[in-house]
Amino acid sequence: MAAAQEADGAGSAVVAAGGGSSGQVTSNGSVGRDPPAETQPQNPPPQPAPNAWQVIKGVLFRIFIIWAISSWFRRGPAPQDQAGPGGAPRVASRNLFPKDTLMNLHVYISEHEHFTDFNATSALFWEQQDLVYGDWTSGENSDGCYEHFAELDIPQSVQQNGSIYIHVYFTKSGFHPDPRQKALYRRLATVHMSRMINKYKRRRFQKTKNLLTGETEADPEMIKRAEDYGPVEVISHWHPNITINIVDDHTPWVKGSVPPPLDQYVKFDAVSGDYYPIIYFNDYWNLQKDYYPINESLASLPLRVSFCPLSLWRWQLYAAQSAKSPWNFLGDELYEQSDEEQDSVKVALLETNPYLLALTIIVSIVHSVFEFLAFKNDIQFWNSRQSLEGLSVRSVFFGVFQSFVVLLYILDNETNFVVQVSVFIGVLIDLWKITKVMDVRLDREHKVAGLLPRPTFQDKSTYVESSTKVYDDMAFRYLSWILFPLLGCYAVYSLLYLEHKGWYSWVLSMLYGFLLTFGFITMTPQLFINYKLKSVAHLPWRMLTYKALNTFIDDLFAFVIKMPVMYRIGCLRDDVVFFIYLYQRWIYRVDPTRVNEFGMSGEAPTAAAPVAEAPPAAAGALSSAPSPTTTTEAAREEASTSPPSQAPQGPSSASEPQEAPPKPAEDKKRD
């Protein structure tokens, strides 16, 4: 019970988790009794939960996507109707249960959504007398909390995927919730709330096998259920903990002006206009991994019900987290995936050191900013690029191939919808890059299937006329000597030792795993082109810098937080490639005398003003050294006026090199 009140907020949950408690996390953050091991059916081994670093990055990305979509379609809020039916302004209401009201708690368990059987003693689960509304000091642990635990005998209908409901009644002291007891029932002295306490979850079964032998390591019982009920089965699940919160709130709410999502919980009386106390079923800290299926092998179910007061601002946090998104057209599957991913956030809040958690959030925000800047500069670079000299065009096409493989792989494995959208946007950006590195035209004379114009691709002149194309072809030829043997070996390994849904899934998973393992090799052609051109001036250094900073952040968390070994190796490989880029930038420094692809150089053109302002000695010396144009004109005049015998002397004398005296110190400083 010491941790019951701590579960009212995320920050309190971190403190409660820091106490070193172990066991099952209850709905209010306390430690509950684990259900009997023999009653839990065997499930396939769970997938390893993503770490806090990956989850927070994903949450930030989702917030950005939802904000962008919402801001695009958002409209101004409709004006609230502050006037009553007769045109008079609405009067602020009050809580029907004043502060320090004595009240009784009645909890009933039933198979029916609408409860009327108050006389059945088997339906009464818990009754607590003389509770004080707004009391935060009573209870076993002096925190205002009470709890009750019992084993529920479940009927056969619930064992066969039926529903079970909890009905909660708060009545003022001396009253009863049964409307049939006229002497003890008062409508304004009774507040009621109910909900279904079992949860229906989809269990998906992917029928995989070894494509060569046809054998599988899946549970035979799971295979039989998949054959009987299909690959997706809806099963009732149970969690043994739930918390009943009554909100300690006496705000003068005005009917029709309660902000969402709070308006879903504030119930007004139709006659008096006042509102009932707010009852909230708190199961926020019930982790999805702690739910287990209800089946015929279970004769009873453990249930621990806790009662705790709840402050207004904490209730607002819980209500905001529990509110479903208005984008309900995405389907219930998205909500299930969101619940499973929120588990990782909850575990991070419960188990992570608060200082490390704060550092993770800050660095995650910085990481997201760098990702956005890298994306922005990448688009700007390719949008303003006029010449392809020094850039690997084949790497752009290989990037499109990688993006398509990743997109098909996540579609085949039914990944989260938001991830699918983000990858699809990445594919569109890669396709847009093709229009920047090649001349894409539509051939309307030769149509595909006689309907659609045939797209034609032609290398840009800045790519063909330079030596970049030769070096690019050479780099990918050398690269193929390494990639194709590795691809063959990985394909054989995947076919012999891994299970797949079919040959299509094998091709996708094999290509995806290969690109994930050896994809860094595709960055080497650009290094080869830089080496051949002895220049790195053509690279998008801003984008590379932001990506490198993100890689260093990934390195930090790859060794601070528990992550797969392959992920850590991948971060180190990216670091090695970037350090090679930095080394090339250091050895291939900027040469101001070098002419770029536009015929320009970094040297300032020679002006006539410095010659006119030169000292007399220097001016005389410079005048004795004629320019090539003056020398040529003098030679022509001499050749036209001199006799034939002296003609050879003119060009020879004009072609003799004239050494200019050294520049004065002032001219050197000016240069």
Side-chain angles (χ1 to χ4, degrees), residues 429-503:
I429 294 174
D430 289 337
L431 291 175
W432 171 79
K433 287 182 181 179
I434 292 181
T435 63
K436 294 298 180 180
V437 299
M438 298 197 74
D439 292 328
V440 182
R441 295 182 177 85
L442 295 178
D443 188 0
R444 303 184 184 277
E445 297 180 357
H446 304 84
K447 297 184 178 181
V448 179
L451 299 175
L452 301 176
R454 183 189 302 273
T456 59
F457 301 90
Q458 185 177 2
D459 291 328
K460 289 184 177 292
S461 58
T462 56
Y463 178 68
V464 177
E465 296 173 357
S466 65
S467 56
T468 305
K469 179 177 175 58
V470 178
Y471 298 147
D472 202 7
D473 296 342
M474 188 184 305
F476 268 86
R477 183 171 67 253
Y478 296 155
L479 188 63
S480 63
W481 297 350
I482 303 175
L483 282 181
F484 288 137
L486 291 176
L487 178 61
C489 294
Y490 189 84
V492 173
Y493 167 80
S494 177
L495 191 62
L496 291 178
Y497 298 102
L498 301 180
E499 296 183 3
H500 307 278
K501 292 184 294 184
W503 290 102

Side-chain angles (χ1 to χ4, degrees), residues 62 77 135-136 146 150 154 161 175 239 260 316-317 343 386 404 449 491 499 537 547-548 578 585 626 639 655:
R62 290 163 187 265
D135 180 19
W136 295 78
Y146 299 85
I154 56 176
N161 232 25
F175 294 93
H239 196 287
Q316 291 175 336
L317 291 178
D343 265 13
Q386 301 297 328
F404 265 113
E499 296 183 3
K547 286 189 175 182
F578 182 72
R585 184 179 176 87
S655 61

Side-chain angles (χ1 to χ4, degrees), residues 372-563:
F372 174 76
L373 293 176
F375 169 78
K376 179 183 73 73
N377 284 277
D378 190 25
I379 296 297
Q380 288 180 346
F381 173 81
W382 288 104
N383 189 39
S384 60
R385 190 69 180 179
Q386 301 297 328
S387 174
L388 298 178
E389 185 175 1
L391 298 176
S392 176
V393 174
R394 289 175 175 262
S395 296
V396 176
F397 277 89
F398 197 85
V400 174
F401 171 73
Q402 285 182 301
S403 300
F404 265 113
V405 170
V406 174
L407 178 62
L408 295 176
Y409 177 80
I410 64 175
L411 291 176
D412 185 60
N413 288 271
E414 300 178 356
T415 318
N416 187 279
F417 176 78
V418 178
V419 177
Q420 295 175 1
V421 171
S422 61
V423 174
F424 180 74
I425 294 175
V427 171
L428 295 181
I429 294 174
D430 289 337
L431 291 175
W432 171 79
K433 287 182 181 179
I434 292 181
T435 63
K436 294 298 180 180
V437 299
M438 298 197 74
D439 292 328
V440 182
R441 295 182 177 85
L442 295 178
D443 188 0
R444 303 184 184 277
E445 297 180 357
H446 304 84
K447 297 184 178 181
V448 179
L451 299 175
L452 301 176
R454 183 189 302 273
T456 59
F457 301 90
Q458 185 177 2
D459 291 328
K460 289 184 177 292
S461 58
T462 56
Y463 178 68
V464 177
E465 296 173 357
S466 65
S467 56
T468 305
K469 179 177 175 58
V470 178
Y471 298 147
D472 202 7
D473 296 342
M474 188 184 305
F476 268 86
R477 183 171 67 253
Y478 296 155
L479 188 63
S480 63
W481 297 350
I482 303 175
L483 282 181
F484 288 137
L486 291 176
L487 178 61
C489 294
Y490 189 84
V492 173
Y493 167 80
S494 177
L495 191 62
L496 291 178
Y497 298 102
L498 301 180
E499 296 183 3
H500 307 278
K501 292 184 294 184
W503 290 102
Y504 174 74
S505 297
W506 168 72
V507 172
L508 289 180
S509 60
M510 180 265 298
L511 290 176
Y512 179 77
F514 174 77
L515 294 175
L516 193 65
T517 307
F518 304 104
F520 76 101
I521 302 179
T522 59
M523 294 186 287
T524 55
Q526 187 63 61
L527 297 175
F528 182 78
I529 294 176
N530 298 342
Y531 165 73
K532 286 295 186 179
L533 294 179
K534 299 294 187 294
S535 174
V536 293
H538 46 270
L539 296 180
W541 280 104
R542 286 189 179 181
M543 183 267 294
L544 290 177
T545 302
Y546 290 131
K547 286 189 175 182
L549 291 175
N550 279 342
T551 304
F552 295 148
I553 295 175
D554 291 339
D555 291 340
L556 173 64
F557 282 91
F559 290 94
V560 172
I561 300 176
K562 184 178 180 181
M563 286 188 178

Side-chain angles (χ1 to χ4, degrees), residues 65 93 118 137 154 165 172 193 210 232 261 268 280 303 340 368 374 383 398 412 435 442 470-471 615 628 652:
I65 292 295
S93 58
F118 291 93
T137 59
I154 56 176
Y165 296 86
K172 292 183 179 180
M193 185 68 69
N210 189 295
V232 179
F268 291 87
Y280 179 72
L303 179 61
E340 294 174 357
S368 301
N383 189 39
F398 197 85
D412 185 60
T435 63
L442 295 178
V470 178
Y471 298 147
S652 62

Side-chain angles (χ1 to χ4, degrees), residues 96 187-188 255 268-274 276:
L96 289 171
R187 177 176 53 85
L188 298 181
K255 187 176 181 179
F268 291 87
D269 181 67
V271 178
S272 66
D274 296 329
Y276 293 95

